[in-house]
Amino acid sequence: MDAVIEFFKLFIKAAIIDNVVFIQYLAICPFIGMTNDTEKATGMGLATTFVIILATAVTWPIYNLVMVPLHLEFLQTLFFILVIASLVQLVEFFLKKTSPGLYNAMGVYLALITTNCAVLAITINCIKNNFSYSQSLIYAFGSAIGFVISMVVMSGVRSRIKTANIPESFKGTPILFVAAAFLSLAFMGFKGLIK
């Protein structure tokens, strides 16, 4: 029972307390670029979730079972980037062959995930924090859900911004950054939730 509680705490910490966008300030490009429509934001978030979990599931064993015994830890970033790019290509190829409808819906999002810094950061955080394999998967899943939450929340804020009376100097990107800053402050309020 204690293990389940610890996994739940790790999930909440990854998703909300250390949110990948609002607290760690990663994945800002898709956060700003893909949140003008809730459907696109959700699609991007779900596609990224799949890749984050898959990348963590592959990079953790590669690091711990191959790179550490061979003393290749200094190549971690290079290996992880190659693994992530390869996984995105494999997922894209697999979806194109097996589910063309899903591929057409997510095809654009899959190409953007390769350059999403959150995917790389989450895999590196798992290694840096000395997580076990199961902890790494929980952390990756929580971080991915946190990314989806940030995308959907920002798309909701942007839908309200479209109808708001905004001063001329704040229209466009400036108001998005102001809104993101306020959302970040709100998420900082969760810091004391789990100790």
Side-chain angles (χ1 to χ4, degrees):
M1 189 63 166
D2 288 339
V4 173
I5 292 171
E6 289 305 314
F7 282 149
F8 182 72
K9 284 182 178 179
L10 182 61
F11 175 82
I12 294 298
K13 190 171 189 310
I16 298 172
I17 297 169
D18 291 332
N19 185 280
V20 72
V21 175
F22 295 132
I23 303 300
Q24 296 182 46
Y25 306 112
L26 298 170
I28 299 297
C29 186
F31 174 71
I32 295 296
M34 298 296 294
T35 54
N36 55 353
D37 178 69
T38 303
E39 189 175 325
K40 286 181 185 176
T42 306
M44 179 65 169
L46 294 176
T48 305
T49 297
F50 181 72
V51 172
I52 286 171
I53 294 168
L54 193 59
T56 302
V58 172
T59 55
W60 191 94
I62 287 174
Y63 183 83
N64 288 292
L65 303 175
V66 178
M67 295 175 71
V68 170
L70 296 174
H71 305 290
L72 297 174
E73 298 95 330
F74 64 95
L75 293 173
Q76 174 188 23
T77 305
L78 177 65
F79 269 82
F80 284 13
I81 288 172
L82 291 173
V83 167
I84 291 165
S86 301
L87 287 173
V88 170
Q89 290 301 311
L90 285 172
V91 168
E92 192 171 355
F93 178 75
F94 179 76
L95 287 177
K96 190 174 187 178
K97 292 292 181 188
T98 60
S99 180
L102 186 59
Y103 171 77
N104 289 334
M106 292 174 46
V108 175
Y109 306 130
L110 285 172
L112 293 173
I113 295 168
T114 305
T115 59
N116 189 334
C117 62
V119 179
L120 178 63
I122 290 165
T123 58
I124 290 174
N125 282 345
C126 290
I127 302 300
K128 184 179 77 174
N129 293 321
N130 292 319
F131 288 150
S132 67
Y133 189 65
S134 55
Q135 287 175 320
S136 295
L137 292 177
I138 296 293
Y139 178 81
F141 182 62
S143 296
I145 294 301
F147 179 71
V148 172
I149 289 169
S150 65
M151 295 289 283
V152 172
V153 166
M154 188 60 174
S155 69
V157 168
R158 286 183 76 164
S159 68
R160 295 297 303 259
I161 288 174
K162 289 177 186 174
T163 60
N165 185 16
I166 299 169
E168 194 64 36
S169 59
F170 281 99
K171 286 187 178 174
T173 307
I175 194 66
L176 297 180
F177 285 118
V178 169
F182 283 122
L183 288 169
S184 180
L185 284 171
F187 269 73
M188 284 183 187
F190 293 115
K191 275 292 184 191
L193 188 63
I194 295 175
K195 295 184 180 175

